[in-house]
Amino acid sequence: IIANIVKTFKYIYGLRFEVQGLENFEVEGPCVIVSNHQSILDMMGLMEILPDDCVQIGKKELLYTGPVGLIMYLGGVIFINRKSTSNAKTVMSGVAQTMLDENVKVWVYPEGTRNGNGDLLPFKKGAFHLAVQAQANLFTVLYSSFTSFYNPAKKLFISGKIRVEVLQPIETKGLTAEDVADLTERCYCTMRETFFRLSGTAREPLASRHNGLLPDP
Ligand SMILES: CCCCCCCCCCCCCCCC(=O)SCCNC(=O)CCNC(=O)[C@H](O)C(C)(C)COP(=O)(O)OP(=O)(O)OC[C@H]1O[C@@H](n2cnc3c(N)ncnc32)[C@H](O)[C@@H]1OP(=O)(O)O
Ligand SMILES: CCCCCCCC/C=C\CCCCCCCC(=O)OC[C@@H](O)COP(=O)(O)O
């Protein structure tokens, strides 16, 4: 119900989605889906391709946003406290078990916050631990940059097109916690390349950002 309502918002905002690779989602079983997160507009992009039985990880502050919080709660959003790694880790290890027991897919924004600066932030590792703990497939989804039609700094909001790509799943069978850092880095590199390709923007060398995993100084 939520997805069908939010999917109509694109007509009001004058946005078009061009989706590639949706058939990659046609794999049975639980999985973790990670994607870039630029703005609240991502909620439209999320609903545009949301598979069945898929819940999202959200910051717990969103639970207290009145009717929207209630809708998210009823929609199954898993709320985590980002300020407490141990609390977030405990919640997420429960999620791995639920994924397996109830055949659920989980959508995570590994940047951990909205970021509209035309690049990806360094990734948090929770989503990758989750995929490894559940030994589930990991899907990566990229939305092209919104900067050409939405730029709060320039007070710009015009109609536009968002290119979306669902990449081939990555298997995590046999991987352990020790492999998570490497898995995170591999996904980061692939997703960043894809983001620049979809956005039609030049690629900044990773070396200038400490292989992408560390914050800028
Ligand atoms: C008409 C009405 C419309 C209504 C319409 C409704 C729309 C309904 C749609 C809703 C949609 C919601 C959308 C919400 C969107 C957001 O709220 S985005 C913000 C919230 N989401 C997130 O933060 C997810 C990503 N974050 C993570 O996964 C983070 O890793 C965590 C779990 C929060 C921890 O964060 P952290 O401590 O800051 O960062 P991190 O460096 O990853 O971890 C620290 C250490 O713990 C380890 N660690 C992390 N996680 C684990 C783990 N699970 N197990 C073991 N070790 C772990 C790491 O490996 C790391 O250790 P080292 O490897 O460095 O030694
Ligand atoms: C001008 C843009 C406004 C257009 C809004 C159109 C689309 C609206 C679709 C559904 C409306 C309500 C959904 C609310 C869900 C909000 C999810 C979200 O984006 O939370 C922020 C969180 O990830 C990270 O928080 P921070 O960036 O760390 O703080």
Side-chain angles (χ1 to χ4, degrees):
I1 295 169
I2 299 168
N4 284 325
I5 295 171
V6 174
K7 272 160 82 171
T8 63
F9 294 1
K10 60 176 179 276
Y11 303 113
I12 302 165
Y13 286 102
L15 294 174
R16 262 187 319 123
F17 288 92
E18 193 182 281
V19 184
Q20 281 174 47
L22 202 55
E23 66 283 358
N24 288 331
F25 272 155
E26 286 163 15
V27 179
E28 281 298 303
C31 67
V32 175
I33 304 167
V34 291
S35 76
N36 57 323
H37 191 16
Q38 302 179 65
S39 133
I40 193 172
L41 294 173
D42 284 319
M43 297 307 109
M44 278 186 258
L46 168 74
M47 298 308 176
E48 196 66 25
I49 60 164
L50 190 72
D52 289 342
D53 303 318
C54 181
V55 295
Q56 305 81 27
I57 303 275
K59 59 175 184 176
K60 83 167 184 341
E61 292 85 342
L62 292 171
L63 182 57
Y64 310 112
T65 51
V68 170
L70 181 64
I71 290 171
M72 282 189 211
Y73 173 78
L74 295 174
V77 171
I78 301 153
F79 296 99
I80 54 160
N81 180 357
R82 291 185 296 185
K83 293 180 194 106
S84 163
T85 306
S86 60
N87 174 285
K89 274 160 71 170
T90 310
V91 172
M92 305 247 311
S93 51
V95 175
Q97 197 52 51
T98 311
M99 279 172 69
L100 297 170
D101 293 346
E102 298 180 23
N103 196 12
V104 172
K105 302 177 172 66
V106 182
W107 191 296
V108 190
Y109 293 108
E111 292 171 277
T113 186
R114 287 163 290 176
N115 165 48
N117 73 357
D119 200 346
L120 301 188
L121 291 177
F123 282 177
K124 305 278 185 185
K125 297 200 186 104
F128 307 93
H129 277 291
L130 184 59
V132 168
Q133 281 161 10
Q135 296 282 287
N137 277 335
L138 180 64
F139 286 87
T140 51
V141 177
L142 274 299
Y143 296 87
S144 61
S145 174
F146 299 167
T147 47
S148 63
F149 62 86
Y150 174 51
N151 189 333
K154 292 186 185 158
K155 294 199 167 46
L156 172 80
F157 198 160
I158 53 174
S159 56
K161 182 174 79 176
I162 301 170
R163 298 178 68 196
V164 189
E165 193 162 323
V166 181
L167 302 182
Q168 298 272 353
I170 300 166
E171 279 196 33
T172 65
K173 250 193 199 90
L175 298 188
T176 66
E178 285 181 5
D179 301 309
V180 166
D182 179 56
L183 178 65
T184 309
E185 182 168 353
R186 273 198 291 134
C187 283
Y188 182 87
C189 293
T190 313
M191 288 176 72
R192 196 163 178 260
E193 293 266 356
T194 310
F195 176 65
F196 288 135
R197 175 167 55 73
L198 292 178
S199 308
T201 46
R203 183 180 180 281
E204 182 198 328
L206 270 182
S208 68
R209 300 188 62 218
H210 313 275
N211 288 331
L213 287 173
L214 297 172
D216 286 325

